Amino acid sequence: MKSWCKNLLAIGLGVSLISACSSNDVEDEPISELTEIQATVFPEISWQTSVGDGVGDFYSQLRPTVRYDKIFVADRSGEVVAFDQTSGDKLWSVNLERELSDQLATKTKGVRIAAGVTAARNKVFVGGESGLLVALEQDTGKVVWSVFADGELLSAPTVAEDVVAVSTSKGAFTAYNVDTGEQLWTNEMQLPTLTLRGTGSAAYEAGGFFLGTADGKVMVVVKNNGQTAWEQTVYNPKGGNEFTRMADVDMTPIISGENLYAVSYNGNLVSMELRTGRVVWTRKYSSFNELAEAGLNLFVVDDFSRIYAVDKRNGLELWSNSELKNRTLTSPAVIGPYIVVGDFEGYLHFITRDTGELAGRIQIDSDGLYAQPLVSGGKIYLQGRSGKVATVTLP
């Protein structure tokens, strides 16, 4: 669909909202079919396995993380697994539904993991739609502590020194002691009447958490006390109804040098001064995906799965690619001279950074890829909707 209905469907809002769109009111826009390309890169799956039942058709941004010479993976039902990064051997596995059955029985219907995985401070952190936030020992998988936040957790926790902080679907940004789980503070934000399904993780730099808000802003929260240092508008909501005024910043701001970069749904891509929030430049793009950067360029996947390269210095568009339009692309990631994005049929696409040309592809999971690929140590780590986990390398 060409209107906002397509965008709401893509991010998993309820059927009751989608039903407000009549097929008579909008023009269906076709999904781009894959055509033969003159491949110049030939990726290979070097390791693969399966973890639980994956995430199914539910909204999720769960993806693997790599640290401590391990690959950490979680599935929606609460299975968390650690694999040896070199051999791929399973090191430990824990099922949070079983481990925390008493707490879950009194609080919620299942764990429904959707936030994570974050590995830091010798711990692994995951959270769920139930509000559950769990810290596990990275070497054994033993539960260190668990708490319930006030609202769904839909994005990966952010660890900053002795603090782990999470955004909730109710507009709270809450910090906990990283070792004990003690709540330290919470910063409450005003939510618009209607928002997208999802929240962005915070970035951390120099004593401050930088995060996007549901009303189209970037704000900085001081780590020591939870107070707001500054906030700046990415996009002022406009339009005649709540749908057209949606302006969520559902991504993690990118911090690069003295600037940060953020993008909003229905709105803008902006560059801001890190210290003050002053807007350096702004350009019209609409996205609920993470940005990627390399050198002097930013890479954007918009809400119709068009891909753009933009100059970080001035916001000028360098190239665009619409060959994968409407294929529900993941957020982009950068590996060497390529950008990689996954799609709803489980293909991982390689795009040349300098020109935007399709350079290669490989299918990972026929049920689809949904989360930003993780690039670490020259390898690409992916998680598919069916629970398949894979490492992709370039020959």
Side-chain angles (χ1 to χ4, degrees), residues 38-49:
Q38 295 297 316
T40 57
V41 62
F42 302 93
E44 300 173 346
I45 297 175
S46 58
W47 172 80
Q48 61 181 334
T49 188

Side-chain angles (χ1 to χ4, degrees), residues 20-234:
C21 308
S22 167
S23 58
N24 296 325
D25 297 332
V26 296
E27 176 187 350
D28 284 343
E29 192 165 294
I31 296 171
S32 297
E33 297 292 336
L34 297 184
T35 58
E36 187 175 348
I37 60 173
Q38 295 297 316
T40 57
V41 62
F42 302 93
E44 300 173 346
I45 297 175
S46 58
W47 172 80
Q48 61 181 334
T49 188
S50 188
V51 172
D53 296 322
V55 301
D57 293 328
F58 292 96
Y59 172 86
S60 182
Q61 291 300 315
L62 271 180
R63 66 171 184 162
T65 195
V66 173
R67 198 165 185 186
Y68 309 118
D69 300 319
K70 300 179 181 71
I71 306 167
F72 300 101
V73 189
D75 86 328
R76 179 178 169 81
S77 65
E79 185 173 357
V80 185
V81 185
F83 300 95
D84 184 277
Q85 187 179 359
T86 302
S87 67
D89 294 339
K90 182 187 289 189
L91 301 176
W92 55 256
S93 175
V94 61
N95 188 300
L96 296 178
E97 289 275 13
R98 290 196 296 267
E99 290 289 322
L100 303 173
S101 57
D102 291 342
Q103 297 96 307
L104 292 169
T106 60
K107 290 284 187 178
T108 181
K109 297 179 180 179
V111 61
R112 294 170 290 156
I113 295 297
V117 179
T118 299
R121 297 283 297 224
N122 280 312
K123 296 177 181 66
V124 178
F125 300 90
V126 295
E129 295 173 21
S130 63
L132 179 71
L133 175 63
V134 182
L136 308 170
E137 291 182 353
Q138 66 86 10
D139 55 349
T140 66
K142 180 182 177 181
V143 175
V144 180
W145 55 259
S146 64
V147 297
F148 280 91
D150 184 21
E152 295 179 305
L153 302 183
L154 301 172
S155 57
T158 301
V159 175
E161 300 160 12
D162 57 346
V163 170
V164 55
V166 292
S167 295
T168 77
S169 60
K170 292 185 177 180
F173 185 64
T174 305
Y176 301 89
N177 180 283
V178 77
D179 293 318
T180 67
E182 176 191 1
Q183 183 173 319
L184 303 174
W185 48 256
T186 188
N187 187 304
E188 300 280 351
M189 291 166 269
Q190 188 72 31
L191 287 179
T193 304
L194 186 63
T195 70
L196 298 183
R197 174 73 166 155
T199 59
S201 298
Y204 178 74
E205 181 76 17
F209 292 99
F210 296 76
L211 65 152
T213 70
D215 60 352
K217 298 175 183 176
V218 168
M219 66 185 298
V220 183
V221 177
V222 179
K223 179 182 82 75
N224 289 340
N225 56 26
Q227 299 299 306
T228 301
W230 60 256
E231 61 180 25
Q232 179 61 267
T233 298
V234 175

Side-chain angles (χ1 to χ4, degrees), residues 6-7 10-11 29 196 263-269 283-292 299-310 317 319-332 341-342:
K6 168 68 167 63
N7 301 320
I11 55 177
E29 192 165 294
L196 298 183
V263 64
S264 70
Y265 176 74
N266 260 344
N268 292 326
L269 171 67
R283 297 290 183 267
K284 184 67 176 175
Y285 291 94
S286 174
S287 178
F288 41 75
N289 290 305
E290 303 289 343
L291 299 172
F299 302 100
V300 185
V301 173
D302 76 3
D303 44 22
F304 283 90
S305 292
R306 295 170 293 215
I307 308 165
Y308 303 89
V310 175
E317 188 174 299
W319 55 254
S320 65
N321 185 317
S322 298
E323 294 178 76
L324 303 175
K325 189 175 179 181
N326 292 327
R327 293 190 63 84
T328 318
L329 296 185
T330 68
S331 300
V341 292

Side-chain angles (χ1 to χ4, degrees), residues 243-254:
F243 292 100
T244 57
R245 288 197 294 271
M246 293 167 70
D248 303 52
V249 180
D250 270 357
M251 48 79 67
T252 305
I254 285 184

